[in-house]
Amino acid sequence: EPEVTQTPSHQVTQMGQEVILRCVPISNHLYFYWYRQILGQKVEFLVSFYNNEISEKSEIFDDQFSVERPDGSNFTLKIRSTKLEDSAMYFCASGGVHEQYFGPGTRLTVT
Amino acid sequence: GNSVTQMEGPVTLSEEAFLTINCTYTATGYPSLFWYVQYPGEGLQLLLKATKADDKGSNKGFEATYRKETTSFHLEKGSVQVSDSAVYFCALANSGGGADGLTFGKGTHLIIQP
């Protein structure tokens, strides 16, 4: 069964550094998403991406975040200058109109 | 804006007990409703969904009915197993299209004891 994959599973970085989180969505899906889950809190929507551009973004997705689909398979989330409060589990998802399938997540730890 | 409220956990039950996890929502228009499950150390898995009022979503013995009049989507299972222990998230998406992000509830941690 096709699945969404994410790399790395765990990323540790120092405050102020740039990080890139990578995702390979399910191949025939058209919509791509990023979410985050701070430890002990709810899953929060960051951004959706369709037809090679951002479709919707939340208030969390400020100028320090960017997304890219650099080739036909990968979908990346870049955080330009990480802050301590960016420490969270980041989930990629892909899907169609009524379904979103999630990857296993990348745990980002900012020290 | 959209919001989802679900019962706080943890919910602890014995094996074969009946399960209900309450979920209510606030949204404009006619959202689609979902239940996701997160097993320890894993990502979110879509458990079931309903896209319009009175629809019943079902999967793996779980079911939930989209009740527009009470803005609810309660999750039920007739006989739970130890393997059902996980965190369950209720979520909604606006009906505007696939680009809409999901709005999640806080999650309910379910613990099933043998």
Side-chain angles (χ1 to χ4, degrees):
Chain A
E1 186 175 326
E3 57 184 18
V4 177
T5 59
Q6 291 185 242
T7 54
S9 58
H10 191 191
Q11 173 90 45
V12 181
T13 189
Q14 289 188 326
M15 196 167 50
Q17 295 297 304
E18 175 183 285
V19 293
I20 298 176
L21 309 182
R22 292 183 167 79
C23 169
V24 178
I26 294 173
S27 60
N28 62 345
H29 285 177
L30 300 178
Y31 298 92
F32 313 110
Y33 315 83
W34 283 102
Y35 294 80
R36 79 171 185 192
Q37 185 181 29
I38 295 172
L39 187 63
Q41 298 186 24
K42 66 169 68 177
V43 178
E44 301 172 291
F45 168 71
L46 294 177
V47 65
S48 62
F49 193 84
Y50 171 72
N51 202 25
N52 287 320
E53 61 183 23
I54 291 174
S55 293
E56 185 183 327
K57 59 183 181 180
S58 70
E59 292 178 350
I60 303 168
F61 193 87
D62 60 23
D63 291 344
Q64 71 161 343
F65 291 94
S66 62
V67 289
E68 209 175 34
R69 189 156 162 81
D71 53 42
S73 60
N74 290 285
F75 180 50
T76 63
L77 174 69
K78 181 191 290 185
I79 309 175
R80 290 192 181 82
S81 178
T82 51
K83 306 171 190 171
L84 293 177
E85 54 265 36
D86 293 328
S87 295
M89 183 73 87
Y90 287 81
F91 292 106
C92 173
S94 69
V97 175
H98 291 302
E99 293 183 348
Q100 294 184 26
Y101 294 89
F102 283 73
T106 292
R107 180 168 297 285
L108 177 65
T109 302
V110 182
T111 62
Chain B
N2 297 338
S3 68
V4 175
T5 302
Q6 57 183 112
M7 57 194 298
E8 299 282 335
V11 173
T12 303
L13 296 172
S14 297
E15 205 166 20
E16 299 183 1
F18 184 85
L19 168 71
T20 300
I21 301 178
N22 290 337
C23 171
T24 57
Y25 67 90
T26 302
T28 55
Y30 303 94
S32 296
L33 302 173
F34 307 85
W35 277 100
Y36 280 83
V37 58
Q38 186 177 32
Y39 297 103
E42 298 185 14
L44 295 159
Q45 298 179 23
L46 177 62
L47 181 59
L48 53 84
K49 66 178 183 181
T51 58
K52 61 183 188 295
D54 300 325
D55 266 3
K56 178 185 284 188
S58 62
N59 186 25
K60 299 180 182 179
F62 292 90
E63 58 182 35
T65 302
Y66 187 164
R67 302 284 189 203
K68 189 172 186 301
E69 63 276 14
T70 54
T71 61
S72 65
F73 193 54
H74 304 322
L75 182 68
E76 296 182 335
K77 186 175 185 182
S79 177
V80 292
Q81 307 300 312
V82 172
S83 57
D84 294 327
S85 298
V87 181
Y88 291 81
F89 293 91
C90 186
L92 70 83
N94 287 325
S95 58
D100 296 329
L102 293 170
T103 299
F104 283 89
K106 290 185 176 181
T108 302
H109 187 193
L110 176 66
I111 301 169
I112 307 300
Q113 296 177 333

